Amino acid sequence: AAEVTELHMAKQKVEESEKRFRNSVEQAPLGIAVFRGPEFIAEMANSNYLLLIDRSEQEFLGKSLFKSLPEITELVEPIFNEVVGTGEAFYAAELPAKLKRHGIIEQAYFNLVYHPLKEENGEINAIMVVATEVTNHVKAKHLLEENEERLNIVINASELGIWEYDVKTQTTSTSKRCQEIFGVLGETYHANTSILNSFHPEDMHIREKAFKKAYATGIMHYELR
């Protein structure tokens, strides 16, 4: 006979610690997964990660990442190999990736961290992935950029003058056409008085009234000589 109480207690502590870790991962508001071995077998994936990739536990766990998601192999495999080879984590913001979700290939964007997991001897045999989808944010940003580009085309074509007035600093930023209109060429950013001096003094009360209304309604419109 041999007493193994200490070994048994240590084993229980390890199991309890692993259980707490898995519970924390499952409740995390991010997609988290762990891939182990040279084939990058999916050892763990919380519900948020499975939701991101549109896979069930049965379809994903215990299988190689690149067999479960073959469409990302070309993009992700070199990154995984680099993380294992260098031992350094990989960070990516708004990384574009094409995923097969809901039966179709979709263009999506993710904020990602690929972090190496090391054994006591320093050997890396697993990678933890933390992912957040930002597709809607990126698409909205792209749409805004496209709309701004279209607006600039319209403004340039119609020869409209554009100015921005900073209420705090009382300075004005102007477009080239606006400078031509008010006779302040070459001053892209200058004191607001340069513009005000161009107005007819008898019409200044119209401007002051329009500003008071704009602070209340958010709409600015007036005509001056």
Side-chain angles (χ1 to χ4, degrees):
E3 185 173 358
V4 292
T5 303
E6 290 185 5
L7 180 63
H8 177 72
M9 295 293 289
K11 182 180 178 182
Q12 280 188 323
K13 287 181 179 179
V14 170
E15 290 174 350
E16 290 172 2
S17 177
E18 184 175 348
K19 184 178 179 180
R20 285 196 298 271
F21 170 72
R22 287 181 178 272
N23 286 337
S24 298
V25 168
E26 182 57 37
Q27 296 178 48
L30 304 165
I32 300 177
V34 175
F35 302 94
R36 190 172 298 278
E39 298 297 321
F40 301 114
I41 303 299
E43 181 181 85
M44 179 193 305
N46 67 0
S47 56
N48 281 327
Y49 190 90
L50 294 172
L51 185 63
L52 289 179
I53 62 174
D54 189 33
R55 299 292 190 278
S56 66
E57 287 189 353
Q58 293 74 19
E59 293 173 323
F60 193 67
L61 296 183
K63 299 179 176 62
S64 170
L65 170 64
F66 305 122
K67 288 184 179 179
S68 301
L69 301 172
E71 63 270 23
I72 68 168
T73 302
E74 185 177 350
L75 172 66
V76 176
E77 189 172 26
I79 299 174
F80 269 33
N81 290 333
E82 181 181 346
V83 171
V84 173
T86 63
E88 299 291 333
F90 175 86
Y91 300 86
E94 300 179 0
L95 183 72
K98 290 185 177 180
L99 284 176
K100 187 175 183 180
R101 299 189 292 192
H102 314 296
I104 59 174
I105 297 293
E106 298 179 336
Q107 177 69 67
Y109 297 85
F110 299 91
N111 291 344
L112 292 163
V113 178
Y114 298 153
H115 198 284
L117 300 180
K118 300 179 181 179
E119 300 291 343
E120 292 182 359
N121 61 4
E123 181 181 349
I124 299 170
N125 66 351
I127 292 177
M128 175 181 285
V129 177
V130 180
T132 306
E133 184 167 3
V134 290
T135 302
N136 290 339
H137 169 74
V138 172
K139 286 184 177 180
K141 186 171 70 173
H142 289 172
L143 181 60
L144 179 61
E145 291 171 352
E146 290 173 5
N147 287 340
E148 286 181 352
E149 185 177 354
R150 292 193 187 104
L151 178 60
N152 287 332
I153 292 172
V154 172
I155 290 171
N156 292 331
S158 60
E159 296 189 343
L160 292 172
I162 304 298
W163 61 272
E164 293 183 21
Y165 174 59
D166 190 316
V167 178
K168 291 183 179 180
T169 62
Q170 294 188 351
T171 54
T172 304
S173 177
T174 60
S175 67
K176 184 177 179 181
R177 178 56 183 151
C178 185
Q179 296 167 40
E180 293 174 352
I181 292 173
F182 290 106
V184 288
L185 284 172
E187 299 183 54
T188 56
Y189 190 77
H190 44 73
N192 192 44
T193 53
S194 298
I195 298 293
L196 296 181
N197 289 336
S198 301
F199 293 135
H200 196 293
E202 293 179 3
D203 291 352
M204 290 302 291
H205 71 281
I206 299 174
R207 177 182 180 277
E208 292 171 2
K209 184 178 179 181
F211 263 77
K212 287 180 181 178
K213 184 178 180 181
Y215 291 143
T217 65
I219 299 171
M220 171 73 77
H221 176 74
Y222 61 92
E223 293 183 8
L224 300 182
R225 288 175 289 173

